[in-house]
């Protein structure tokens, strides 16, 4: 028998909760966004599940921030070594990109138990966020799983704190 559309497997990423607080702990912005899984991310799933590819440990996924400075576009073909339409915003105190820390899968989704927290230490404007397997700020290796744009540019200043929850589901 032929299967229906309900049997399709289509991974998607979603940031159900992004919050930015000022230095006094007051909420400045709160929003949610969807993201696009890159071609590299989709190929990684196929490689690991069906072609003996190397699994990336759950402790090896990290969030990074996309700067609005020099931004022109995201592309499904973006990788960590080649993403000419955007640059990374590194103006936060953490010495590396922030660990995602996914919990256990449930109801065909997986999310971080506690938010990724970015302690902003430079003024700037954020365009979006990405998930990668490389913790090095401005690093150009590792796998780029997904990228997502905010609905509008988000200004941040030294002292702000950004908390991000990320979910992958089918």
């Amino acid at each position: 028998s032929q299967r229906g559309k309900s049997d399709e497997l289509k991974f998607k990423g979603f940031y159900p909760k992004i919050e930015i607080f000022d230095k006094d702990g007051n909420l400045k912005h709160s929003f949610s966004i969807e993201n696009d899984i890159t071609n590299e991310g989709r190929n990684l799933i196929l490689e690991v599940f069906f072609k003996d590819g190397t699994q990336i440990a759950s402790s090896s996924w990290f969030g990074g921030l996309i700067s609005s400075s020099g931004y022109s576009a995201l592309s499904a073909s973006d990788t960590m070594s080649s993403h000419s339409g955007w640059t990374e915003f590194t103006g936060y105190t953490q010495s590396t990109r922030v660990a995602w820390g996914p919990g256990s899968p449930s109801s065909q989704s997986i999310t971080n138990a506690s938010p990724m927290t970015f302690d902003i230490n430079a003024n700037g404007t954020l365009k979006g966020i990405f998930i990668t397997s490389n913790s090095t700020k401005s690093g150009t290796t590792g796998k780029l799983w997904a990228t997502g744009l905010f609905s509008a540019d988000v200004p941040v200043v030294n002292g702000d704190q950004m908390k991000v929850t990320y979910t992958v589901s089918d």
Side-chain angles (χ1 to χ4, degrees):
S1 76
Q2 189 174 19
R3 295 185 176 235
K5 284 219 171 250
S6 64
D7 291 334
E8 288 183 21
L9 178 63
K10 292 195 174 236
F11 281 100
K12 59 184 173 261
F14 180 62
Y15 298 88
K17 192 173 191 181
I18 300 172
E19 297 177 314
I20 300 176
F21 299 89
D22 68 16
K23 63 180 175 48
D24 298 319
N26 299 309
L27 183 64
K28 291 174 59 173
H29 303 282
S30 179
F31 49 94
S32 61
I33 63 169
E34 293 186 7
N35 72 206
D36 293 319
I37 309 300
T38 63
N39 293 343
E40 181 175 49
R42 294 172 190 281
N43 288 338
L44 179 63
I45 290 171
L46 298 173
E47 182 71 25
V48 170
F49 276 86
F50 302 109
K51 191 73 171 106
D52 300 325
T54 303
Q55 177 183 354
I56 297 172
S58 64
S59 61
S60 295
W61 289 107
F62 305 90
L65 303 174
I66 298 172
S67 175
S68 69
S69 178
Y71 176 84
S72 63
L74 298 178
S75 171
S77 62
D78 284 344
T79 65
M80 289 312 303
S81 63
S82 177
H83 49 82
S84 61
W86 57 274
T87 59
E88 183 174 356
F89 177 84
T90 59
Y92 51 94
T93 63
Q94 288 77 7
S95 60
T96 62
R97 293 176 180 138
V98 179
W100 172 36
S104 297
S106 176
S107 301
Q108 297 76 54
S109 69
I110 190 167
T111 193
N112 46 326
S114 59
M116 293 180 279
T117 301
F118 298 85
D119 296 312
I120 307 298
N121 66 356
N123 296 350
T125 304
L126 304 178
K127 194 75 173 175
I129 193 164
F130 63 93
I131 301 293
T132 182
S133 65
N134 179 349
S135 67
T136 305
K137 284 182 174 180
S138 298
T140 59
T141 61
K143 300 294 185 182
L144 180 60
W145 165 252
T147 54
L149 290 180
F150 303 145
S151 59
D153 289 356
V154 177
V156 291
V157 297
N158 184 10
D160 284 353
Q161 185 177 71
M162 181 176 190
K163 294 186 176 195
V164 180
T165 301
Y166 181 63
T167 300
V168 176
S169 63
D170 76 349

